[in-house]
Amino acid sequence: MFEGLRCGLAGRHQLDNAACAIALLEAAGQGGIPVDEAAVRIGLRSVVWEGRLEVIDDAPRVLLDGAHNPAASRALAQYLGEFLASHQNGRIILVWGMMRDKDHREFIAPLLPLVSEIVLTQAGLARSATVGELRQALTEWPKPVSEVPQPADALQTAKQRASSGDLICVAGSLMLLGDIKAAVRGCGLSLIRG
């Protein structure tokens, strides 16, 4: 029924998600629920999801991803690997902050082979892991690590260290992304974080 669809979301994992949604729509259509094919095409092509492989700046590219568990980290790693494959001289600088109750080592493991350096930070919540707690997951990682507790300052540090062909990836927490988006927009509130 739905041939030649295009998905507006980046990442191969989003194609899997879209395929599941399409399968449900096809089942609904077979069950007698009308499905407007034009609306499906437009919706899939124009869908936007804040904080999911969201590019907010270029040269260097700044990517926000709310990955906060090992499965999401693996999906992010696949995307970052594709970036490196298509940008031979590009580096990845990770701005990383997570909640204290998450598995930091399991989360960061798939990303470490891909990133050139890490800027540790923390969202403005009591539940956030401190930069020192995150640093414990990197005890054997030999590449540069900076500790910048304020998210806006961490992003600025990454931008200062990046060249125009690099990618800065902010990940580990939707709350962190909310703080970054609020700072970029020049306000104290983000729709992601509330």
Side-chain angles (χ1 to χ4, degrees):
M1 174 177 179
F2 299 108
E3 296 292 325
L5 294 173
R6 285 187 25 238
C7 181
L9 297 174
R12 291 182 188 210
H13 61 288
Q14 295 299 359
L15 298 178
D16 293 338
N17 292 340
C20 289
I22 298 302
L24 287 172
L25 289 172
E26 287 177 338
Q30 292 171 358
I33 298 172
V35 176
D36 181 350
E37 184 174 342
V40 171
R41 289 182 181 285
I42 291 168
L44 190 59
R45 184 177 57 241
S46 62
V47 65
V48 175
W49 193 358
E50 280 194 75
R52 298 295 182 186
L53 297 177
E54 177 186 8
V55 176
I56 63 166
D57 204 356
D58 283 308
R61 182 183 303 179
V62 177
L63 178 78
L64 305 181
D65 195 80
H68 60 274
N69 60 45
S73 176
R74 289 188 296 275
L76 176 59
Q78 181 178 14
Y79 180 85
L80 296 178
E82 292 167 5
F83 170 84
L84 289 175
S86 63
H87 296 79
Q88 295 299 319
N89 296 319
R91 299 177 320 125
I92 297 172
I93 299 172
L94 178 65
V95 177
W96 180 38
M98 293 189 80
M99 296 298 110
R100 183 173 283 122
D101 59 343
K102 300 294 179 180
D103 189 334
H104 305 150
R105 288 185 193 277
E106 283 292 314
F107 174 86
I108 199 65
L111 302 175
L112 291 179
L114 303 167
V115 301
S116 297
E117 59 184 282
I118 298 174
V119 180
L120 300 175
T121 193
Q122 58 197 71
L125 294 170
R127 192 175 143 229
S128 296
T130 66
V131 293
E133 289 168 333
L134 293 174
R135 184 75 178 235
Q136 292 174 7
L138 302 172
T139 54
E140 296 179 22
W141 196 61
K143 297 179 184 175
V145 177
S146 303
E147 296 182 12
V148 186
Q150 295 299 317
D153 295 340
L155 179 58
Q156 190 59 36
T157 297
K159 284 183 174 184
Q160 290 167 351
R161 299 186 59 80
S163 65
S164 63
D166 292 342
L167 182 140
I168 297 168
C169 177
V170 181
S173 163
L174 286 169
M175 299 303 138
L176 171 62
L177 270 53
D179 287 350
I180 293 287
K181 289 193 85 150
V184 167
R185 291 176 176 157
C187 65
L189 191 61
S190 166
L191 296 176
I192 292 177
R193 181 169 171 193

